Amino acid sequence: MKRLSLKATSLILALVLALSLSVTAFADDNAASMTRAEVTQEVIKNMGLAAQAEASAKDASAFKDVAEGSKFEGAINLAYSKGIVNGVNKDAFAPDAAVTQLEAAAMILRSTGLDKALLKDWPADYDDMAVWSGLMDGLTYEASKPVTTAMLEQMLKNAAAIADKPVIGISWSYNGQNYDSHKTIFKTVGAIPVELDQVTSTAVKYDAEGKIESAYLEESGMLKQEYADKVKEKDLTASNVGAAMQAIDGVFFTGGEDVSPSLFKVPEKEKNEGEEINATRDISDYMLMAYCLEKDVPTFAVCRGEQVMSIVSGCTFIQDIPNYYKEQGKTYNDTHRMPADAPNRTYARHDVVINKDASKWLYKIVGSTELKNVSSWHHQAVGGVEGTNLTVVSTATIDGVEIIEAVERQDKTFCLGVQFHPENDCKFVLYTKTPEKALCDYETCLNFFEMLVEYAGK
């Protein structure tokens, strides 16, 4: 598995090696704002490229407003040639203009090589990465405010650690789900979180907003069978998934809507009691999971993500747990999800049992054969894994009915799916700052993400 530090250019290695150079030649007043020329020079210097900058000074100036032979000409020429800085227009650099914190962050992020695959849209991607990469740790980040010498010094120190952090992709959500709490978790455990782009397939056509056109869908929103069959061929070349996964070291699959039953190994009609099906997201998740399994990308999946992992692997499936209970002649007590009309509806809570002997990773994460009060929000579940490469490693049995709670693909570097939501209890502690709501042990829940990051970093 490639690490960011292995696939970035020699610029990253130079940045790490240049730690001993520190930040020099700053103005005496650390509160002073810096110019574009000054920031460019300090970024180049801390990349260990001062000698190359001197050589670049012999070349013609890249910009009309940077004088030949001027103090900053070599650094600006070199930074421009390496894509670290841009001009303010075709011929001008505005060397004496003040630099905003966002602009300085962009220069530094480009110097680490992050921009080549992960930073595509200006300024949104750079603004987001400035925070989640850890570049602004220890600082109060205000994107439009000027960067000071003291702030730049801290940013350059923080940048040295970026190359050693694995990049974790978070599966795309068509409905614009807010992933800030997820990102907070991954930043806490030493990773760089990135929201993945939508994965598409040439099996269908999409409208201007990226949604599958209605001609490819049933009334319920389920993917029509003939197109689902094409997706199930798992032809990665008929998809943009390779581009979406550039520079990604591990993937976290989130929860969400029901999966189109046409994607099951043995297709079924909808029996999900009218719950929402999002075929656009189904294709994105299905192709992304197929890629992760084929390429052996460290993967952790929750709820819908665990279901997609199992469906791609060929499991049987329970489309509605309440109906499944009725079929068994048992009474369902809303253990796995609170009913829609429940007052103050939130995650249901129950315990899960872990099979120590069967598990490769889950038991190590939990350190026990039982995990109490998991956050649960699902009305569907994996039915069985016979004939697949999956191993069932956790279950919950309520009123004599066993529901699969976790599966592992043990032939992979790291591939774990759980039906519950450890990220929810982590969110209460790290994001909403309401630890009293974290009824499942927080440290254990955080272990799930630490293990993904550990394997993604290898």
Side-chain angles (χ1 to χ4, degrees):
M1 189 65 199
K2 293 182 179 179
R3 296 284 305 284
L4 174 62
S5 54
L6 296 179
K7 54 180 124 153
T9 66
S10 59
L11 296 179
I12 280 206
L13 298 177
L15 179 62
V16 176
L17 292 172
L19 284 174
S20 60
L21 298 178
S22 187
V23 180
T24 58
F26 279 139
D28 290 337
D29 182 5
N30 273 353
S33 61
M34 301 187 72
T35 66
R36 282 170 58 83
E38 288 170 336
V39 172
T40 301
Q41 184 180 61
E42 293 308 322
V43 171
I44 289 294
K45 190 181 297 181
N46 276 268
M47 291 170 66
L49 300 178
Q52 289 187 40
E54 288 184 17
S56 292
K58 298 175 183 178
D59 299 331
S61 178
F63 300 98
K64 290 182 178 180
D65 58 354
V66 178
E68 297 288 351
S70 61
K71 177 180 178 182
F72 301 108
E73 182 197 2
I76 292 171
N77 280 351
L78 182 61
Y80 179 65
S81 71
K82 292 184 176 295
I84 295 170
V85 298
N86 300 317
V88 295
N89 59 42
K90 182 179 179 181
D91 299 315
F93 183 72
D96 297 325
V99 179
T100 67
Q101 294 174 24
L102 175 56
E103 289 169 338
M107 292 185 198
I108 296 172
L109 289 170
R110 288 170 183 156
S111 77
T112 67
L114 273 174
D115 66 300
K116 289 177 172 58
L118 300 173
L119 304 177
K120 302 168 186 175
D121 296 326
W122 170 266
D125 287 354
Y126 289 86
D127 195 23
D128 193 64
M129 187 62 77
V131 174
W132 298 113
S133 67
L135 184 65
M136 305 305 297
D137 283 0
L139 300 167
T140 300
Y141 175 51
E142 298 177 88
S144 62
K145 295 287 183 68
V147 70
T148 65
T149 55
M151 178 174 280
L152 184 68
E153 181 176 9
Q154 184 62 51
M155 291 166 68
L156 289 168
K157 289 179 179 177
N158 290 343
I162 289 177
D164 291 326
K165 294 180 178 180
V167 179
I168 302 297
I170 303 173
S171 60
W172 174 81
S173 171
Y174 177 79
N175 292 332
Q177 182 177 351
N178 187 321
Y179 283 153
D180 282 357
S181 63
H182 300 68
K183 291 179 179 179
T184 299
I185 295 168
F186 283 112
K187 187 170 183 289
T188 298
V189 296
I192 298 175
V194 173
E195 294 184 38
L196 292 175
D197 290 338
Q198 177 185 0
V199 176
T200 58
S201 169
T202 58
V204 298
K205 292 183 179 179
Y206 298 82
D207 63 20
E209 295 181 350
K211 187 176 181 180
I212 295 175
E213 293 181 357
S214 59
Y216 297 86
L217 307 175
E218 303 287 358
E219 273 188 41
S220 64
M222 180 178 79
L223 191 61
K224 287 183 177 178
Q225 194 60 57
E226 62 182 299
Y227 307 112
D229 289 341
K230 291 181 180 179
V231 172
K232 288 193 292 184
E233 292 174 3
K234 304 175 190 175
D235 181 2
L236 302 181
T237 65
S239 168
N240 66 332
V241 65
M245 283 293 290
Q246 284 188 60
I248 301 299
D249 299 307
V251 175
F252 174 59
F253 285 81
T254 67
E257 306 92 334
D258 291 358
V259 180
S260 294
S262 53
L263 287 169
F264 296 174
K265 181 178 181 180
V266 179
E268 297 179 8
K269 295 294 185 182
E270 306 95 311
K271 297 181 290 185
N272 64 337
E273 298 297 332
E275 296 274 354
E276 184 179 4
I277 294 175
N278 185 338
T280 303
R281 189 175 178 191
D282 289 346
I283 287 182
S284 187
D285 283 352
Y286 192 99
M287 294 305 296
L288 179 62
M289 183 63 74
Y291 180 96
C292 289
L293 293 174
E294 180 173 317
K295 305 296 184 181
D296 195 15
V297 179
T299 299
F300 176 47
V302 302
C303 200
R304 169 190 164 93
E306 181 250 12
Q307 294 169 3
V308 171
M309 178 186 293
S310 302
I311 289 168
V312 172
S313 298
C315 75
T316 57
F317 203 74
I318 299 169
Q319 287 200 51
D320 186 66
I321 294 174
N323 284 334
Y324 182 71
Y325 264 75
K326 290 178 183 177
E327 292 167 5
Q328 313 303 312
K330 302 292 184 178
T331 301
Y332 183 58
N333 60 359
D334 302 317
T335 301
H336 297 278
R337 187 179 71 172
M338 295 178 69
D341 59 354
N344 302 314
R345 192 186 193 202
T346 185
Y347 286 86
R349 297 283 185 169
H350 64 80
D351 303 340
V352 299
V353 174
I354 296 159
N355 188 328
K356 177 181 178 180
D357 296 328
S359 172
K360 184 175 181 180
W361 302 296
L362 184 60
Y363 180 77
K364 291 180 182 178
I365 291 170
V366 176
S368 172
T369 56
E370 186 178 47
L371 182 58
K372 293 183 174 295
N373 294 319
V374 298
S375 292
S376 181
W377 189 295
H378 65 108
H379 83 107
Q380 300 194 316
V382 175
V385 300
E386 295 78 9
T388 76
N389 290 322
L390 296 171
T391 300
V392 175
V393 294
S394 177
T395 58
T397 303
I398 310 295
D399 194 24
V401 177
E402 182 180 82
I403 296 294
I404 293 173
E405 292 286 342
V407 294
E408 297 178 350
R409 273 291 299 265
Q410 296 176 353
D411 57 322
K412 302 301 178 182
T413 296
F414 178 72
C415 188
L416 170 65
V418 300
Q419 184 60 77
F420 46 92
H421 291 267
E423 80 280 5
N424 183 54
D425 293 277
C426 292
K427 177 187 72 175
F428 289 140
V429 176
L430 297 173
Y431 186 71
T432 64
K433 306 298 183 182
T434 52
E436 69 279 0
K437 295 182 179 180
L439 304 183
C440 189
D441 182 69
Y442 158 70
E443 295 291 346
T444 301
C445 289
L446 197 64
N447 285 345
F448 285 91
F449 302 94
E450 289 177 336
M451 184 164 282
L452 172 60
V453 170
E454 176 186 339
Y455 279 99
K458 291 182 177 180

